[in-house]
Amino acid sequence: GIQVEQSPPDLILQEGANSTLRCNFSDSVNNLQWFHQNPWGQLINLFYIPSGTKQNGRLSATTVATERYSLLYISSSQTTDSGVYFCAVEADSWGKLQFGAGTQVVVTP
Amino acid sequence: DSGVTQTPKHLITATGQRVTLRCSPRSGDLSVYWYQQSLDQGLQFLIQYYNGEERAKGNILERFSAQQFPDLHSELNLSSLELGDSALYFCASSVSASNQPQHFGDGTRLSIL
């Protein structure tokens, strides 16, 4: 099956810093989604981004489907950005998502 | 608030028992997905329903079953529970069966003692 690799596995940021998270996938996909799992365990859909670039406040994402990767940018990080960021790909026509292992982000005041 | 409702939030039970997890999708969503999140396996797709019909199956154990009812809510039944079934179980929904954003409920945390 398709492999989804995220890097780095862990990231510690000082409040106000910028960062980039990466997601590589091993085969062509129908779409890619980014999620944030907050410290309470809730999974929030940040972006549905099969290709191109999208922005939502301080977060933006870019997917280059032809090169099989996606990037999530966090700018001016805040403590509320802490949690685990997952990318997930839909590799077939059935809708099921294949998740990466996640990037654990800790933002310190 | 994603609009996806899962109950109960927490469930504690013993090995060998059977439990039912319930999910109500967002209004207007026809597709429901179940995922399991455990420390060793990460987030794994279990099963998908679309408008009442099973559409895709992942690594779902034979001891687990699910269904989607005419009002589109879904239930995941877990039987003959083992310690290894302890996990966070998520339900997600989307408008159609594929190529749509999936929105997740808050999950049911299942603990097997």
Side-chain angles (χ1 to χ4, degrees):
Chain A
I2 194 166
Q3 304 299 312
V4 182
E5 295 183 353
Q6 292 187 241
S7 60
D10 300 282
L11 195 55
I12 300 176
L13 300 169
Q14 198 151 23
E15 208 166 18
N18 303 326
S19 64
T20 301
L21 283 58
R22 187 176 180 102
C23 174
N24 293 333
F25 41 97
S26 60
D27 206 344
S28 59
V29 299
N30 293 333
N31 68 73
L32 183 143
Q33 304 183 40
W34 282 98
F35 294 87
H36 175 222
Q37 188 167 33
N38 64 26
W40 296 270
Q42 296 171 316
L43 262 176
I44 310 299
N45 192 311
L46 298 175
F47 294 102
Y48 173 89
I49 185 165
S51 63
T53 297
K54 288 187 176 180
Q55 180 141 14
N56 184 1
R58 295 180 296 100
L59 302 181
S60 64
T62 295
T63 296
V64 184
T66 53
E67 296 187 22
R68 300 179 185 168
Y69 74 90
S70 183
L71 303 173
L72 179 69
Y73 306 95
I74 306 174
S75 64
S76 304
S77 58
Q78 299 178 358
T79 55
T80 52
D81 296 330
S82 295
V84 183
Y85 290 81
F86 292 99
C87 74
V89 300
E90 183 181 327
D92 55 31
S93 60
W94 304 114
K96 66 179 183 182
L97 292 177
Q98 178 76 33
F99 281 80
T103 293
Q104 172 89 53
V105 173
V106 175
V107 182
T108 61
Chain B
D1 182 9
S2 68
V4 179
T5 304
Q6 287 189 248
T7 56
K9 292 191 186 305
H10 303 278
L11 205 44
I12 302 173
T13 189
T15 55
Q17 295 299 304
R18 172 188 169 94
V19 297
T20 298
L21 282 53
R22 183 187 167 102
C23 169
S24 294
R26 292 190 322 163
S27 177
D29 285 0
L30 298 180
S31 196
V32 169
Y33 311 79
W34 287 97
Y35 293 86
Q36 179 193 58
Q37 185 177 32
S38 61
L39 284 175
D40 53 346
Q41 301 273 10
L43 269 158
Q44 298 275 321
F45 167 78
L46 294 178
I47 197 164
Q48 177 196 11
Y49 282 83
Y50 176 71
N51 205 20
E53 300 289 328
E54 181 185 304
R55 185 166 165 88
K57 256 184 174 177
N59 297 325
I60 187 167
L61 299 171
E62 285 192 10
R63 301 183 285 107
F64 296 1
S65 65
Q67 55 184 326
Q68 186 180 28
F69 294 87
D71 67 352
L72 300 178
H73 91 271
S74 178
E75 293 180 357
L76 178 67
N77 300 297
L78 316 177
S79 62
S80 302
L81 287 167
E82 302 176 358
L83 293 177
D85 298 328
S86 295
L88 187 52
Y89 291 85
F90 284 106
C91 167
S93 72
S94 64
V95 171
S96 61
S98 63
N99 288 311
Q100 292 289 328
Q102 291 185 23
H103 299 277
F104 282 67
D106 289 349
T108 293
R109 188 170 297 278
L110 177 62
S111 300
I112 313 298
L113 303 181

